[in-house]
């Protein structure tokens, strides 16, 4: 691929994966509503993704080699143990989908995630956590980040139904976690030399954490009496697999900030379509439509060609 097309292609892929994130929020929120247990819904989502990835790893020589390589890097002290915990943020994100998106709706939930992602992406690039090293924000990126935050404010001002707006704090924190997860996943992929390995590790860690909290929840609330028959409500894990794999592959190309901002556009566009067609709560507002348009402008400005100052490469961890 020609050099000048690498970033636009990466941003297009990131935007598409952002749409999958919004779809995942709708699916997991819907499953939570059906069974009345957001913890168990999150475990089903992550567990299904882990099962799919386990089959892929078993069938892929490169993925198995990546697991062995990563274990060796950690054992030899070349890769930090904390860098294996990106899946904890993914688990919190999926858990918040079941607990919060089912109450406030996909649109408001997405707005909260968006706010956390753009701010988190700017910070991750600034401190150099991603595999591409430190990237000092250019004026275009700062303006784009500001516009993305304005888009969030416009969307919130447009009004939502179905829950207290203060609940948006939960997906906001989850959005920051997603930016950290994307940066760490890029490091894992670089160490393992396999995107599948990085994705598999996320689901192992996330499923383990969610299994604990789901077991506690079932112990106190009991097993759900009704499970939905719609197959689509069990596909949240598939969306998560695709999103994490795409993020780990392209974060080195686009950087954490631009990765987050292109995700913003995809999430907002998909959330509008989902709230219009199959809303969890509230519905589409004029503010959300305007906010989505402003977010798209923010991505266009931040991704415009130009020299980003102060980019540097991070030494080996």
């Amino acid at each position: 691929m020609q050099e000048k097309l690498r970033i636009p292609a990466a941003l297009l892929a990131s935007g598409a994966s952002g749409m999958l994130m919004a779809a995942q929020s709708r699916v997991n929120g819907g499953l939570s509503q059906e069974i009345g247990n957001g913890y168990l819904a999150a475990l089903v989502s992550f567990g299904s993704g882990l099962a799919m990835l386990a089959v892929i790893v078993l069938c892929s020589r490169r993925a198995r080699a990546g697991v062995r390589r990563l274990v060796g890097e950690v054992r030899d002290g070349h890769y930090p143990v904390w860098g294996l915990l990106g899946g904890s943020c993914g688990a919190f994100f999926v858990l918040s989908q079941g607990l919060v998106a089912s109450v406030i709706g996909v649109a408001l939930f997405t707005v909260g995630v968006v706010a956390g992602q753009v701010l988190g992406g700017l910070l991750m690039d600034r401190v150099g956590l991603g595999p591409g090293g430190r990237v000092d924000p250019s004026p275009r990126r700062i303006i784009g980040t500001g516009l993305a935050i304005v888009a969030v404010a416009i969307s919130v001002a447009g009004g939502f139904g179905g829950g207290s707006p203060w609940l948006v704090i939960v997906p906001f924190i989850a959005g920051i976690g997603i930016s950290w997860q994307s940066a760490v996943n890029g490091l894992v992929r670089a160490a393992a030399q396999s995107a599948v390995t990085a994705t598999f590790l996320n689901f192992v860690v996330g499923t383990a954490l969610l299994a604990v909290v789901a077991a506690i929840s079932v112990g106190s609330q009991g097993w759900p009496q009704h499970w939905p028959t719609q197959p689509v409500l069990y596909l949240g894990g598939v969306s998560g697999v695709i999103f994490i794999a795409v993020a780990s592959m392209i974060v080195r190309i686009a950087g954490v900030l631009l990765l987050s901002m292109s995700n913003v556009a995809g999430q907002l566009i998909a959330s509008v379509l989902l709230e219009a067609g199959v809303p969890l709560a509230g519905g589409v507002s004029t503010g959300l439509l305007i906010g989505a348009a402003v977010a798209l402008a923010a991505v266009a400005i931040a991704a415009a060609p130009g020299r980003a100052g102060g980019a540097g490469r991070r030494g080996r961890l």
Side-chain angles (χ1 to χ4, degrees):
M1 182 182 296
Q2 295 182 4
E3 186 68 25
K4 65 180 181 180
L5 296 179
R6 292 180 71 219
I7 290 182
L11 294 179
L12 182 62
S14 179
S17 67
M19 290 184 172
L20 283 178
M21 287 180 67
Q24 185 189 51
S25 297
R26 176 61 183 86
V27 168
N28 290 343
L31 180 60
S32 175
Q33 284 184 339
E34 290 284 340
I35 66 176
N37 189 319
Y39 301 97
L40 197 54
L43 178 60
V44 168
S45 177
F46 243 77
S48 63
L50 177 60
M52 183 175 71
L53 281 167
V55 173
I56 294 174
V57 170
L58 288 174
C59 296
S60 171
R61 179 180 302 175
R62 182 173 181 179
R64 295 196 304 273
V67 172
R68 292 192 296 269
R69 190 177 295 111
L70 183 61
V71 170
E73 289 283 295
V74 175
R75 184 180 57 243
D76 296 339
H78 296 151
Y79 190 83
V81 175
W82 61 260
L84 304 176
L85 301 179
S88 61
C89 292
F92 181 74
F93 173 68
V94 172
L95 183 60
S96 65
Q97 288 175 331
L99 296 176
V100 179
S102 60
V103 177
I104 65 177
V106 175
L108 182 53
F109 180 86
T110 301
V111 165
V113 172
V114 162
Q117 276 188 279
V118 293
L119 291 176
L122 185 65
L123 292 174
M124 299 306 145
D125 275 349
R126 181 65 179 81
V127 300
L129 183 59
R134 173 175 167 175
V135 179
D136 290 331
S138 66
R140 287 192 182 94
R141 290 189 173 195
I142 294 174
I143 292 172
T145 301
L147 276 179
I149 295 173
V150 169
V152 171
I154 292 173
S155 299
V156 171
F160 297 88
S164 169
W166 289 106
L167 286 174
V168 78
I169 294 175
V170 176
F172 172 77
I173 296 173
I176 295 176
I178 288 172
S179 293
W180 185 80
Q181 180 188 34
S182 296
V184 169
N185 285 351
L187 296 175
V188 173
R189 180 183 182 275
Q193 299 178 28
S194 169
V196 173
T197 299
T199 309
F200 177 67
L201 175 63
N202 269 265
F203 274 80
V204 169
V205 173
T207 301
L209 293 174
L210 289 173
V212 173
V213 297
I216 295 173
S217 175
V218 170
S220 61
Q221 300 181 20
W223 191 256
Q225 297 181 353
H226 167 74
W227 286 86
T229 57
Q230 304 97 309
V232 69
L233 292 180
Y234 299 96
L235 297 179
V238 176
S239 299
V241 168
I242 296 173
F243 166 72
I244 295 175
V246 169
S248 66
M249 286 188 291
I250 68 179
V251 66
R252 189 178 184 89
I253 299 174
V256 181
L257 175 61
L258 290 186
L259 176 68
S260 297
M261 296 191 72
S262 54
N263 262 280
V264 165
Q267 288 176 71
L268 285 174
I269 291 172
S271 69
V272 169
L273 297 176
L274 289 168
E275 279 299 301
V278 283
L280 281 175
V284 176
S285 68
T286 302
L288 180 60
L289 293 174
I290 298 174
V294 174
L296 287 173
V299 172
I301 291 173
R307 183 180 179 84
R313 290 202 177 275
R314 186 182 180 90
R316 187 169 184 171
L317 293 173

